[in-house]
DNA sequence: GATTACATGTAACATGTTACATGATTAC
DNA sequence: GTAATCATGTAACATGTTACATGTAATC
């Protein structure tokens, strides 16, 4: 009785399912929890969560039961065995190609169509976002290191993600520092024959970098 | 006679407009050009480009003219003055918050719901993607450094983007090397009371990192 | 008891992807 | 001359966001 070749569901649905794998949550709790960690690298509007979770129920990957809160109702969701299996199967499939997606980089690439100031502001904001990410991650890691993290049994996993995000925030800080320095020295953003400083910086980039995958680790 | 409060358009549309700011392109050329550079940090399906470009024409940010190729027609698009202005205005607005989006990280975060092997494969694939990105960027930078880049007058901008992507590919290579080492040492991915090795790694993460924004540059 | 913030959604619409369709060109 | 690949899209559907709507709890 499976309802025809079910369409595949995506990372957003599986993220929710992943949270449900830990415990049951009300819809509202789910939106908040998604906002805490996941939104750093998978930001989604809250309203979408409400819809996705109902799709999970349609597919019997989760079940809903209703509690009353005054005159209004609240829905609590719990993962099913089928749900756990589906989650496991998904994790065994390869991820979509592509390391990242970033609007800020798009703006930098289009930088010559805006003012110098626009570019500097973009990088300034990237730097601020990196600082905030670092702060949040340091706080989180402190909790885990002190044994007060929210799901202590997940310390090993969270440590991996935190490591990545901390390294990334450092990368962005360094990049924006470099970028703001470079851009400040430009007369403006406009296209122009490459100057010697730019050529030198281009050469620096490939210094010690081969075309191949091989790379010296520090 | 502007048609009521026009909805804002997004980064995808402005990316196309940004390409049009350089020269005029046929729709097909646009899809290919988007695939070359932009898709590394703003991947979009080709079919969407065909639709977006028509929306740009609707809004008079670009104009289309039709050329014949045998019995079939081809459309060439050119930016309008209005288009250049719109692009400039957009670049003066702040970007959406969020440094990046990454499905691979989602999978790592859900790693304890899959097998050790799934996690290792995810990181393996990340490493491969990083290698490929590095290779492509090195090649591109070599061209620019040698004066044979496609839009040499954009060397200064492209150098910034290339710098970011090269640093990122190094970060991912380092992270996945670290991650695979750590995960290999686990008995399995399952949740469990944090062991001493994990706690030590957590402490390492915040070593020399303050909660605040301040950060020593190397 | 009025105001504000928290909790819980729905409707409308914009954006993105998959699958298909078909003409033109190139390689054999 | 036929198969493969390049070029050029459209249709259908899935996903994502914005704007709204309204009940509940906290606070003053």
């Amino acid at each position: 009785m499976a309802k025809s070749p079910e369409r595949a569901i995506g990372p957003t649905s599986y993220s929710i399912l992943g949270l449900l794998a830990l415990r049951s949550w009300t819809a509202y709790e789910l939106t908040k929890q998604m906002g805490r960690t996941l939104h750093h690298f998978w930001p989604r509007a809250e309203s979408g969560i409400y819809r996705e979770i109902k799709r999970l129920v349609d597919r019997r990957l989760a079940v809903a039961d209703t509690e009353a809160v005054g005159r209004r109702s609240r829905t609590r969701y719990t993962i099913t065995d089928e749900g756990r299996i589906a989650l496991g199967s998904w994790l065994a499939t390869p991820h979509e190609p592509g390391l990242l997606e970033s609007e800020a980089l798009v703006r930098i690439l289009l930088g010559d169509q805006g003012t110098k100031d626009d570019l500097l502001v973009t990088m300034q904001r990237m730097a601020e976002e990196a600082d905030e990410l670092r702060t949040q991650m340091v706080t989180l890691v402190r909790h885990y290191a002190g044994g007060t993290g929210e799901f202590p049994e997940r310390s090993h996993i969270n440590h991996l993600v935190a490591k990545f995000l901390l390294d990334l925030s450092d990368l962005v800080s360094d990049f924006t520092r470099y970028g703001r320095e470079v851009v400040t020295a430009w007369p403006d953003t406009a296209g122009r024959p490459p100057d010697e400083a730019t050529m030198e910086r281009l050469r620096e980039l490939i210094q010690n970098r081969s075309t191949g995958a091989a790379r010296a680790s520090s």
Side-chain angles (χ1 to χ4, degrees), chain A:
Chain A
M1 294 305 134
K3 37 178 97 131
S4 52
E6 301 246 333
R7 283 281 195 148
I9 58 181
T12 304
S13 299
Y14 286 113
S15 301
I16 297 174
L17 210 47
L19 286 178
L20 289 177
L22 306 179
R23 67 171 180 85
S24 67
W25 312 73
T26 67
Y28 183 77
E29 285 174 336
L30 277 175
T31 65
K32 291 309 151 190
Q33 192 63 24
M34 296 282 281
R36 270 192 258 294
T37 319
L38 253 151
H39 90 116
H40 288 303
F41 45 92
W42 199 258
R44 288 303 179 262
E46 294 185 355
S47 72
I49 312 298
Y50 286 103
R51 186 178 44 194
E52 286 307 309
I53 179 70
K54 283 193 289 191
R55 300 204 320 124
L56 292 182
V57 173
D58 284 348
R59 286 161 185 264
R60 324 244 240 111
L61 306 181
V63 291
D65 49 337
T66 306
E67 310 167 354
V69 182
R71 290 199 297 140
R72 107 184 257 172
S73 74
R74 161 170 64 193
T75 316
R76 176 171 296 276
Y77 295 93
T78 307
I79 196 170
T80 62
D81 289 346
E82 264 192 81
R84 284 185 199 278
I85 292 168
L87 181 53
S89 309
W90 182 67
L91 287 171
T93 64
H95 61 259
E96 290 296 305
L99 282 175
L100 89 166
E101 204 162 300
S102 160
E103 179 185 330
L105 269 191
V106 172
R107 286 169 182 266
I108 292 174
L109 187 69
L110 302 181
D112 56 334
Q113 306 298 322
T115 68
K116 233 176 91 166
D117 222 50
D118 294 342
L119 243 186
L120 290 170
V121 167
T122 293
M123 292 194 289
Q124 177 64 40
R125 281 181 40 94
M126 285 177 82
E128 287 160 11
E129 292 178 334
D131 287 343
E132 206 186 310
L133 177 58
R134 184 178 312 107
T135 302
Q136 288 188 232
M137 284 300 124
V138 167
T139 303
L140 189 130
V141 172
R142 286 233 175 96
H143 276 136
Y144 275 92
T148 58
E150 202 183 2
F151 290 99
E153 76 278 13
R154 284 175 42 80
S155 297
H156 57 315
I157 295 277
N158 286 329
H159 140 259
L160 279 180
V161 174
K163 158 88 170 144
F164 184 95
L165 294 178
L166 282 168
D167 286 352
L168 179 79
S169 71
D170 289 350
L171 181 151
V172 172
S173 294
D174 290 342
F175 170 74
T176 54
R177 180 169 19 248
Y178 172 85
R180 281 177 291 178
E181 205 174 290
V182 168
V183 172
T184 302
W186 292 350
D188 56 43
T189 59
R192 61 184 113 99
D195 53 282
E196 189 42 43
T198 298
M199 293 306 270
E200 177 52 27
R201 292 211 173 80
L202 283 167
R203 283 190 295 269
E204 255 171 43
L205 281 188
I206 44 182
Q207 212 73 16
N208 306 323
R209 256 192 260 247
S210 66
T211 319
R215 222 193 112 241
S217 46
S218 60

